[in-house]
Amino acid sequence: METLYFYLPAAESVRDFFELGGDVLLLIAALTLVMWALIFERLFYLMRQHRHTTAEAVAAWRARGEHSSWHAHQIREYLISCVQQELERHMLVIKTCVALCPLLGLLGTVTGMIEVFEVMALSGSGNPRSMAAGVSKATVPTMAGMVAALSGVAMSAYLQRKVSNERQLLSAQLPLAQ
């Protein structure tokens, strides 16, 4: 039976890019995939589930008869804290992924430069063609790590701002009696 292979220029370009950048590029891609999966999870939570969590906290607060005692203040803080904990879930992991992306790019730079020096030591000269593969393995992961980090920084800042705004909105929805 004959197997059909489809020519996909985009897939071939991606494969060539990964070959050009070396093994560290696979680590950067995996880390970026995890980072963006968590970002999308947070966006989904904010769009869908956060309303229900907030509504439950507001309902629990309104179900209380009095809102002025020390005990009521503590319950209010607890409700806000529970909602905030849900809001900030995975945010630290996202920030860690953002910080790791350029570091993995730097690792790619170091491994690529080691390859350049190895070629220089084996060939005994500074032949540009023989060093080109190592130079690309030194620069491509750096660029990929920086691009991944920049996209993560932008979304992380957006999510952090959204978390802060939602906490303030919840505080306003849980008024204290004077």
Side-chain angles (χ1 to χ4, degrees), residues 34-49:
V34 168
M35 177 181 71
W36 275 98
L38 292 173
I39 287 171
F40 283 129
E41 185 274 333
R42 287 290 82 198
L43 289 171
F44 177 77
Y45 173 78
L46 286 168
M47 287 190 296
R48 301 281 182 173
Q49 297 172 331

Side-chain angles (χ1 to χ4, degrees), residues 99-116:
L100 282 176
C101 283
L103 293 176
L104 286 176
L106 184 61
L107 177 65
T109 300
V110 171
T111 57
M113 292 310 296
I114 288 172
E115 190 171 313
V116 168

Side-chain angles (χ1 to χ4, degrees), residues 55-110:
E56 288 174 3
V58 170
W61 179 249
R62 289 185 179 156
R64 287 193 47 81
E66 62 90 23
H67 297 127
S68 60
S69 69
W70 178 86
H71 190 73
H73 284 258
Q74 297 305 312
I75 290 174
R76 180 180 181 269
E77 288 301 316
Y78 171 76
L79 291 171
I80 292 171
S81 177
C82 288
V83 172
Q84 185 171 358
Q85 186 176 4
E86 284 299 313
L87 279 169
E88 291 182 354
R89 178 171 284 156
H90 304 305
M91 288 300 294
L92 188 58
V93 178
I94 292 170
K95 290 177 183 179
T96 302
C97 290
V98 167
L100 282 176
C101 283
L103 293 176
L104 286 176
L106 184 61
L107 177 65
T109 300
V110 171

Side-chain angles (χ1 to χ4, degrees), residues 116-128:
V116 168
F117 295 139
E118 189 176 305
V119 166
M120 287 174 62
L122 292 176
S123 68
S125 68
N127 182 359

